[in-house]
C-alpha cells in the first residue's frame, strides 16, 4: 500500500480497520505518508478495509 502525503487528512479510519497495517502519528495522520508499506501476512483483508475506509482515497494498492 502507498499513502499519498498530499491526500491524507488525518481521519484515522485506515488504522481503525487495520491497526497492524496503518500507524498514525500524534496528530492522527498516517505515519507512513509518502511511503510504500508492506502488508503483514494475514492482514490483507484488513488492509483493504482500511484503504476503502479512507474518505480522501489517500491509500492505493501497489505491487511489491
Amino acid at each position: 500500500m502507498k499513502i499519498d502525503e498530499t491526500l491524507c487528512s488525518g481521519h484515522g479510519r485506515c488504522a481503525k480497520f487495520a491497526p497492524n497495517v496503518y500507524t498514525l502519528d500524534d496528530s492522527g495522520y498516517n505515519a507512513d505518508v509518502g511511503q510504500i508499506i508492506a502488508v503483514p501476512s494475514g492482514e490483507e483483508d484488513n488492509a483493504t478495509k482500511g484503504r476503502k475506509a479512507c474518505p480522501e482515497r489517500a491509500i492505493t494498492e501497489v505491487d511489491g
Side-chain angles (χ1 to χ4, degrees):
M1 300 290 179
K2 182 170 183 184
I3 317 301
D4 186 312
E5 67 272 12
T6 63
L7 294 177
C8 181
S9 296
H11 292 282
R13 294 180 186 172
C14 56
K16 176 182 176 185
F17 290 98
N20 294 326
V21 178
Y22 306 110
T23 304
L24 303 180
D25 65 15
D26 291 338
S27 299
Y29 289 84
N30 193 301
D32 297 307
V33 292
Q35 300 178 39
I36 294 175
I37 56 172
V39 177
S41 180
E43 291 288 332
E44 295 86 2
D45 288 343
N46 291 335
T48 298
K49 288 177 188 174
R51 177 180 59 81
K52 289 181 177 180
C54 178
E56 309 301 341
R57 300 295 182 241
I59 304 169
T60 54
E61 213 170 322
V62 295
D63 292 330

